[in-house]
């Protein structure tokens, strides 16, 4: 079903964009905690560097999603596996933090489960 594959890509991209927004939110929390003297300069600097690296990696992965052609895959499950491998390999190449791998895996599982469950209902 071609519409499932396109829906998967659209939803997956939205989920990854949501994760990017979460990272930016945590960057703001880190900034606020530092300004309010709730964390030390060392903790602030470490958190900032990690979150910037994570945000950069997720942003690059979001861009890569746009280059995926749904027609290259026979079904949504095959495509989900391939997308997971492609983005995980890209994250490794970019030396992204381990947390990015978890984001990819969780979002793929979430979107794929939704699409497969939705298909069973209708």
């Amino acid at each position: 079903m071609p519409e499932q594959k396109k829906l998967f890509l659209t939803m997956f991209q939205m989920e990854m964009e949501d994760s990017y927004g979460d990272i930016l939110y945590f960057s703001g929390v880190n900034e606020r905690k530092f300004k309010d003297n709730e964390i030390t300069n060392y903790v602030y600097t470490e958190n900032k560097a990690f979150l910037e690296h994570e945000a950069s990696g997720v942003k690059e992965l979001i861009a890569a999603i746009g280059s995926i052609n749904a027609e290259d895959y026979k079904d949504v499950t095959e495509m989900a596996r391939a997308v997971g491998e492609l983005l995980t390999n890209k994250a490794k190449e970019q030396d992204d933090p381990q947390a990015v791998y978890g984001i990819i895996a969780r979002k793929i599982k979430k979107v794929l489960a939704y699409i497969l469950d939705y298909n069973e209902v209708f």
Side-chain angles (χ1 to χ4, degrees):
M1 295 184 168
E3 61 277 350
Q4 281 186 328
K5 295 183 287 184
K6 290 178 183 174
L7 180 60
F8 174 87
L9 289 175
T10 300
M11 290 179 66
F12 180 62
Q13 183 163 352
M14 290 172 58
E15 286 288 334
M16 291 297 287
E17 288 170 355
D18 186 55
S19 292
Y20 179 74
D22 289 344
I23 296 165
L24 295 181
Y25 169 78
F26 287 121
S27 293
V29 169
N30 185 53
E31 189 80 28
R32 182 197 52 79
K33 284 186 173 190
F34 178 66
K35 287 180 181 176
D36 291 346
N37 294 315
E38 294 178 33
I39 58 175
T40 64
N41 185 51
Y42 177 80
V43 171
Y44 165 75
T45 304
E46 289 293 313
N47 287 348
K48 182 177 179 179
F50 176 81
L51 291 167
E52 285 176 353
H53 192 182
E54 190 176 30
S56 173
V58 170
K59 192 171 186 177
E60 290 289 323
L61 296 176
I62 291 168
I65 295 168
S67 68
I68 297 168
N69 183 1
E71 302 306 316
D72 291 344
Y73 306 96
K74 68 176 179 155
D75 61 34
V76 68
T77 303
E78 177 187 69
M79 187 177 70
R81 280 192 203 104
V83 168
E85 288 176 20
L86 172 78
L87 294 186
T88 299
N89 289 336
K90 187 164 182 62
K92 287 177 184 176
E93 288 171 13
Q94 297 174 172
D95 197 28
D96 288 339
Q98 188 68 33
V100 175
Y101 307 145
I103 292 169
I104 295 166
R106 284 192 320 275
K107 298 303 182 178
I108 286 177
K109 287 177 186 174
K110 178 181 179 179
V111 173
L112 183 60
Y114 175 81
I115 289 173
L116 295 177
D117 287 346
Y118 179 81
N119 190 48
E120 290 178 12
V121 173
F122 294 97

